[in-house]
Amino acid sequence: MAAMHPQHNRPMALSIAGSDPSGGAGIQADIKTFTVIGVYSGAAITALTSQNTLGVSSYLPLPAAFVKKQIQDVLDDLNVTHIKIGMVGNREIARAIGEVLTGFTGEVIYDPVIKSSGGVSLFTAGSTAITEHIISQATVLTPNIAELEIISGLQCGNEAGALAAAQGIFALSPRLKAVCVKGGHMNILGKTVTDYLVQKTPPEKGTGAAGFHIARIEHPRISSRNTHGTGCTFASALTAYHMRTGDLNQAFRLTCAFMDTLLSRSTAYVIGHGTGPLPHHEFIRQKDETDQDLS
Ligand code: PLP
């Protein structure tokens, strides 16, 4: 048998999310993130949004059967090891995604997008539909504090509350290995932000009770007007770094550093008139001769 080419059939990602025509969030943010981190990704679209940096004006969910077909066609052909899910749109699409993922044995990283930062609802059904169809298939969740409160039904105003809520979420799905809580909306007047990676550890001998391992990363709070798509970018980066390292703790550390770099560089940008996107392209910009010829 001929030797397999080393580049053949490398692990690939599939993003399942909504489209943002202004390029800051959703599918567009996901593909940019995978690309700059060096991972190939496909993209199955759940809904078309119409928006710019000033907000989401409307959205058009695609027929659920068509969303399912996009995912199935990609899974039938590409070597997808990791699926990242963002905006789902409605209950029918959630159900369709849940059905097509039932036979998928790789990692499923779900960023539970429920509302846009401007407050527009991006999922029209209640959180039980999310739990039943998507969280039940997920291996990793990446909620912010507001999303954690909706999913858990608990108040998460401080670290103890957020960690208790994150630990409670494991009861929703036996597949879940980790909940990565983004702490940016906690302690908002503080000079630092803490993100958490909560992982379930194997049941203890004797008691049979599962434990939890909690990793914390504290970083300086970077003030930037350009935060549109940070949730999508964070979850895609975690997915991409997990593909590259095979280790969730390392992926968490690299993702936090990646976000710090992008947020710091974003302060030099004015893109649009509202909450601008992250400058993903800055992450790979080469200072070569060609670059100097361009402004
Ligand atoms: N996905 C889509 C298609 C969106 O339009 C939005 C926000 O408007 C999001 C995801 C969530 O964006 P963020 O990463 O800022 O939470």
Side-chain angles (χ1 to χ4, degrees), residues 18-20 25-26 49 51 56 87 113 116-117 122 227-232:
S19 159
D20 169 3
T49 73
Q51 64 176 298
V56 177
M87 175 185 175
V113 175
S116 74
S117 35
L122 298 175
T227 55
H228 181 51
T230 45
C232 308

Side-chain angles (χ1 to χ4, degrees), residues 5 26 34 58 62 128-129 138-140 142 151 177 179 194 211 242 251 256:
H5 188 279
F34 285 120
S58 58
L62 294 183
T128 45
T139 56
V140 180
T142 63
I151 295 168
K177 295 183 206 166
V179 177
T194 306
H242 187 259
C256 290

Side-chain angles (χ1 to χ4, degrees), residues 82-86 107-111 138-142 235-236 238-239 242:
H82 288 59
I83 293 179
K84 183 254 155 187
I85 305 176
E107 300 293 335
V108 177
I109 294 88
Y110 177 41
D111 179 29
T139 56
V140 180
L141 293 188
T142 63
S236 296
L238 191 72
T239 305
H242 187 259

Side-chain angles (χ1 to χ4, degrees), residues 62-139:
L62 294 183
F66 191 73
V67 174
K68 191 172 174 181
K69 175 131 178 53
Q70 292 177 70
I71 300 166
Q72 194 61 62
D73 280 350
V74 174
L75 294 183
D76 285 348
D77 185 33
L78 272 57
N79 181 27
V80 174
T81 58
H82 288 59
I83 293 179
K84 183 254 155 187
I85 305 176
M87 175 185 175
V88 166
N90 62 30
R91 184 190 304 273
E92 291 69 38
I93 298 174
R95 185 181 299 117
I97 295 173
E99 282 168 10
V100 75
L101 292 192
T102 307
F104 180 75
T105 53
E107 300 293 335
V108 177
I109 294 88
Y110 177 41
D111 179 29
V113 175
I114 294 166
K115 277 186 186 167
S116 74
S117 35
V120 175
S121 174
L122 298 175
F123 186 73
T124 52
S127 67
T128 45
I130 287 179
T131 302
E132 183 185 349
H133 301 298
I134 311 285
I135 296 182
S136 59
Q137 305 291 340
T139 56

